[in-house]
């Protein structure tokens, strides 16, 4: 039995009630009183959906101890569940990923690798880049982040693999924005297979959208897509309670 069972139960109850601020406060207090290691241990025992509920409420105006201490594996397990929130602009997703992957003490590649190792990882990255799809295609084609190159023929899958290991045309320092450009650079030149997979997922989503199949549930007849309205979850107004499917998808 976990030595932190009471805190875990309390945190889960607060999250289920929509009190994200209270849940994060309880976790922060644990780190203050028992050390960072205790918090990392508790994050490992919380359901990924609960870790996600706290992380996605990231506020740039203040530091989040959870975002600062979550491990790459814990983060990846939570990230693949983010699609269950109806966040049309993916604002929360981008903020959360940037805050964690580019935090001061972290190696971004450890997080990227952990994401790529999970089923649904490339889909989560595709959501992250959704608003920058044409820029990502241009980067794949030209190796540059020049907006004037955004509109041109996309490389075929074979061509993408043929240029996967081409040397960079720009140094990472030139795009070290701790945002989508730096993540795209790391993916293309450090994890090219994951970069290509992410780009192909983006293309598939665009095609499904054009065919009227929906973004994430193309080809399914289910009325309930299992997503949550972000208007109800933003800023801790109401966070969905656990569902069996959440746990299964995180395994």
């Amino acid at each position: 039995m976990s030595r932190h069972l009471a805190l875990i139960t309390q945190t889960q109850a607060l999250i289920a009630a929509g009190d994200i601020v209270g849940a994060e406060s309880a976790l922060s207090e644990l780190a203050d009183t028992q050390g960072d290691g205790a918090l990392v241990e508790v994050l490992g025992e919380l359901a990924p959906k609960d870790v996600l509920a706290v992380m996605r409420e990231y506020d740039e105006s203040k530091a989040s101890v959870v975002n600062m201490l979550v491990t790459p594996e814990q983060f990846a397990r939570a990230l693949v569940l983010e699609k269950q929130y109806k966040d049309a602009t993916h604002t929360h997703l981008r903020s959360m990923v940037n805050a964690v992957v580019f935090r001061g003490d972290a190696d971004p590649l450890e997080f990227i690798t952990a994401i790529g190792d999970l089923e649904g990882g490339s889909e989560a990255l595709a959501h992250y880049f959704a608003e920058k799809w044409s820029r990502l295609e241009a980067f794949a084609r030209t190796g540059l982040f020049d907006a004037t190159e955004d509109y041109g023929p996309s490389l075929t899958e074979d061509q993408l693999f043929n240029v996967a290991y081409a040397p960079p045309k720009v140094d990472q320092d030139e795009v070290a924005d701790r945002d989508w450009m730096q993540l795209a650079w790391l993916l293309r030149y450090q994890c090219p297979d994951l970069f290509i997979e992410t780009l192909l997922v983006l293309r598939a989503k665009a095609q499904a959208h054009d065919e009227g199949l929906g973004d994430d549930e193309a080809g399914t007849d289910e009325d309930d897509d299992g997503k949550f309205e972000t208007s109800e979850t933003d800023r801790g107004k109401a966070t969905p309670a656990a569902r069996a499917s959440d746990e299964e998808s995180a395994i």
Side-chain angles (χ1 to χ4, degrees), residues 24-35:
E24 183 172 19
S25 178
L27 294 171
S28 297
E29 184 178 351
L30 173 67
D32 289 340
T33 58
Q34 298 189 38

Side-chain angles (χ1 to χ4, degrees), residues 37-110:
L39 176 55
V40 172
E41 181 181 334
V42 166
L43 292 177
E45 295 180 25
L46 281 172
K49 69 172 186 62
D50 290 332
V51 177
L52 172 63
V54 176
M55 288 195 304
R56 77 184 309 275
E57 295 301 322
Y58 173 68
D59 181 353
E60 293 182 356
S61 67
K62 62 183 181 66
S64 166
V65 68
V66 173
N67 285 350
M68 292 304 296
L69 294 177
V70 65
T71 69
E73 292 74 21
Q74 292 166 352
F75 178 71
R77 287 195 295 270
L79 183 65
V80 297
L81 300 179
E82 212 278 340
K83 65 182 179 181
Q84 295 174 356
Y85 290 82
K86 284 182 176 175
D87 182 3
T89 63
H90 305 99
T91 302
H92 283 265
L93 174 61
R94 288 238 337 248
S95 296
M96 178 181 69
V97 170
N98 292 343
V100 174
V101 173
F102 296 115
R103 71 191 191 195
D105 67 333
D107 178 357
L109 286 177
E110 292 184 1

Side-chain angles (χ1 to χ4, degrees), residues 152-163:
S154 298
L155 298 183
T156 66
E157 185 173 348
D158 286 343
Q159 289 173 326
L160 286 172
F161 280 104
N162 288 338
V163 301

Side-chain angles (χ1 to χ4, degrees), residues 206-237:
Q207 181 178 353
H209 181 271
D210 289 344
E211 295 174 355
L213 298 177
D215 184 34
D216 293 301
E217 300 297 325
T220 152
D221 297 325
E222 294 295 330
D223 293 330
D224 179 8
D225 62 6
K227 295 182 178 180
F228 315 130
E229 289 290 354
T230 11
S231 60
E232 298 176 354
T233 59
D234 289 353
R235 294 289 152 251
K237 292 180 182 177

Side-chain angles (χ1 to χ4, degrees), residues 90-217:
H90 305 99
T91 302
H92 283 265
L93 174 61
R94 288 238 337 248
S95 296
M96 178 181 69
V97 170
N98 292 343
V100 174
V101 173
F102 296 115
R103 71 191 191 195
D105 67 333
D107 178 357
L109 286 177
E110 292 184 1
F111 286 93
I112 293 172
T113 301
I115 294 167
D117 285 344
L118 286 185
E119 181 179 353
S122 58
E123 183 178 6
L125 290 172
H127 282 147
Y128 173 91
F129 286 110
E131 307 302 314
K132 305 293 183 181
W133 177 32
S134 64
R135 305 296 304 275
L136 204 66
E137 288 279 9
F139 180 52
R141 186 177 68 254
T142 69
L144 301 172
F145 290 105
D146 185 346
T148 62
E149 300 287 348
D150 282 8
Y151 304 98
S154 298
L155 298 183
T156 66
E157 185 173 348
D158 286 343
Q159 289 173 326
L160 286 172
F161 280 104
N162 288 338
V163 301
Y165 294 95
K169 291 186 178 180
V170 295
D171 293 332
Q172 184 182 175
D173 290 345
E174 297 179 57
V175 294
D177 59 352
R178 305 173 71 85
D179 198 352
W180 72 272
M181 284 189 184
Q182 187 172 1
L183 186 57
W185 192 99
L186 289 168
L187 277 171
R188 176 171 181 182
Y189 296 116
Q190 301 295 328
C191 306
D193 288 346
L194 182 56
F195 175 76
I196 293 171
E197 186 177 347
T198 299
L199 196 55
L200 295 178
V201 172
L202 276 167
R203 291 179 182 179
K205 287 181 176 296
Q207 181 178 353
H209 181 271
D210 289 344
E211 295 174 355
L213 298 177
D215 184 34
D216 293 301
E217 300 297 325

